Amino acid sequence: MSNLSDGTSDISLVEAAPWAILVADPSADWRDFIRMGITAFSPWLTVLEACSCAEAVDILTANRINIAFIDMTCCQFFSNRKDLTGKPFVVTLGEGSEAADVATMRKSGVYDHLVKPLDQDAITRILETYACMTLQTRILLVDPSDETRAAVSDCFAQSLFEVAVEEAEDAVSGIEAYMRSPADVVVVDRGLAEADGFQILRIIRAHNPGVRVVLMADEAANLRPLTYQGEIKPLARPFGPEDVDRVMHQVLGLPLPYKIWDQTRSSGL
């Protein structure tokens, strides 16, 4: 896994995969600018260009595209089509009202929105985030309830991140599971934390001081007094896949996409 917040990484993001990337924009200047940013990130990535909505749809239908940078003028045309090959990681581009653009973005189900004019760092951020999200993250889920573990595992399965979830029902089995196969992220129930959950965290942190931790509880207010304990990230129930995406961005040190950042700002988390 990688930690982009401090500029360090355990992997080579550039060598992560031979991606195919679509750049769809009516402006040749913007297509050239984005292509240069992609090539600067890695010269081994395949870049396909489209100057119209119809051309973008043809490329998406005929090719398995990993990432698509799409101008807002093309976004609505293909967002609801069912004949596209695969499910590309879509980022929209626009120069208009942010509020209107974000509303369209959410309706279209895309990942993020970049406001023009943008710089090369914005393109690099998207590519680095995609690399991190598509590398499998190992999750250790510790919760005494079979039903809760199943529901949380389902949320992780529906998130944007590639994850492998191992479950444990108590602190002892959680510690054993971590020692057997160290996870990238440990997700612990607050009720367990009040009893012996902090014991599991102390033991795991003695083994790996940098382990990432997510703490679950029924109310957000109940999480705030506990999150000072070594960069613990809160996850308030009830939550869904988008909430899991938010906390995964935070715990892995990834910048939040606009739609998740906007929701986080509104909720106060």
Side-chain angles (χ1 to χ4, degrees), residues 186 188 190 193-194 197-206 208-215 222-234 251:
V186 178
V188 183
R190 180 185 186 274
E194 288 180 330
F198 283 129
Q199 179 69 13
I200 179 178
L201 297 183
R202 281 193 293 269
I203 293 174
I204 289 176
R205 281 217 165 101
N208 177 12
V211 65
R212 305 167 175 96
V213 177
V214 174
L215 191 64
N222 291 337
L223 288 165
R224 294 192 181 99
L226 302 175
T227 55
Y228 73 93
Q229 301 269 352
E231 294 300 317
I232 295 174
K233 301 300 180 184
V251 78

Side-chain angles (χ1 to χ4, degrees), residues 40-41 117 133 156 196 210:
F41 180 81
M133 292 172 67
F156 273 100
D196 54 356

Side-chain angles (χ1 to χ4, degrees), residues 3 50 59 61 81 107 111 117 119 149 151 199 210 239 256 260 268:
N3 185 343
I59 292 174
T61 303
R81 296 181 66 104
K107 184 178 179 181
Y111 173 73
D119 56 24
R149 291 199 308 275
Q199 179 69 13
F239 55 81
L256 292 174
I260 297 180

Side-chain angles (χ1 to χ4, degrees), residues 18-69:
W19 309 326
I21 302 177
L22 169 65
V23 179
D25 196 295
S27 166
D29 289 340
W30 276 116
R31 294 198 305 274
D32 290 344
F33 180 83
I34 296 170
R35 186 183 66 251
M36 286 189 295
I38 295 169
T39 302
F41 180 81
S42 171
W44 308 111
L45 303 180
T46 300
V47 181
L48 303 175
E49 297 184 25
C51 62
S52 68
C53 299
E55 190 175 359
V57 170
D58 287 343
I59 292 174
L60 286 164
T61 303
N63 301 273
R64 182 169 293 277
I65 299 297
N66 299 96
I67 307 172
F69 291 90

Side-chain angles (χ1 to χ4, degrees), residues 129-148:
T129 297
Y130 179 79
C132 188
M133 292 172 67
T134 53
L135 288 175
Q136 189 178 80
T137 301
R138 295 164 298 173
I139 306 291
L140 174 59
L141 171 60
V142 187
D143 191 288
S145 166
D146 293 344
E147 183 178 347
T148 298

Side-chain angles (χ1 to χ4, degrees), residues 7-255:
T8 63
S9 174
D10 299 328
I11 59 172
S12 174
L13 295 179
V14 174
E15 298 176 358
W19 309 326
I21 302 177
L22 169 65
V23 179
D25 196 295
S27 166
D29 289 340
W30 276 116
R31 294 198 305 274
D32 290 344
F33 180 83
I34 296 170
R35 186 183 66 251
M36 286 189 295
I38 295 169
T39 302
F41 180 81
S42 171
W44 308 111
L45 303 180
T46 300
V47 181
L48 303 175
E49 297 184 25
C51 62
S52 68
C53 299
E55 190 175 359
V57 170
D58 287 343
I59 292 174
L60 286 164
T61 303
N63 301 273
R64 182 169 293 277
I65 299 297
N66 299 96
I67 307 172
F69 291 90
I70 307 288
D71 184 79
M72 290 298 297
T73 57
C74 301
C75 182
Q76 289 179 308
F77 184 79
F78 68 83
S79 61
N80 295 319
R81 296 181 66 104
K82 305 299 183 183
D83 56 348
L84 304 183
T85 302
K87 186 179 180 181
F89 186 80
V90 178
V91 176
T92 54
L93 312 165
E95 299 173 345
S97 164
E98 287 192 16
D101 287 345
V102 170
T104 301
M105 177 192 72
R106 286 178 175 160
K107 184 178 179 181
S108 303
V110 304
Y111 173 73
D112 202 359
H113 177 73
L114 302 180
V115 178
K116 296 178 180 177
L118 60 140
D119 56 24
Q120 298 287 355
D121 288 344
I123 299 169
T124 299
R125 172 178 64 82
I126 294 296
L127 299 174
E128 288 181 339
T129 297
Y130 179 79
C132 188
M133 292 172 67
T134 53
L135 288 175
Q136 189 178 80
T137 301
R138 295 164 298 173
I139 306 291
L140 174 59
L141 171 60
V142 187
D143 191 288
S145 166
D146 293 344
E147 183 178 347
T148 298
R149 291 199 308 275
V152 175
S153 294
D154 185 60
C155 284
F156 273 100
Q158 296 179 58
S159 81
L160 295 170
F161 291 79
E162 292 289 336
V163 298
V165 180
E166 182 172 2
E167 300 180 11
E169 63 182 3
D170 54 38
V172 173
S173 58
I175 292 169
E176 290 175 348
Y178 188 87
M179 296 306 176
R180 182 172 60 250
S181 178
D184 299 303
V185 180
V186 178
V187 182
V188 183
D189 175 69
R190 180 185 186 274
L192 182 68
E194 288 180 330
D196 54 356
F198 283 129
Q199 179 69 13
I200 179 178
L201 297 183
R202 281 193 293 269
I203 293 174
I204 289 176
R205 281 217 165 101
H207 181 73
N208 177 12
V211 65
R212 305 167 175 96
V213 177
V214 174
L215 191 64
M216 301 182 294
D218 292 331
E219 296 182 17
N222 291 337
L223 288 165
R224 294 192 181 99
L226 302 175
T227 55
Y228 73 93
Q229 301 269 352
E231 294 300 317
I232 295 174
K233 301 300 180 184
L235 184 59
R237 288 189 290 255
F239 55 81
E242 280 203 354
D243 301 299
V244 167
D245 287 338
R246 171 185 55 78
V247 79
M248 286 293 289
H249 277 81
Q250 293 173 335
V251 78
L252 295 176
L254 297 172

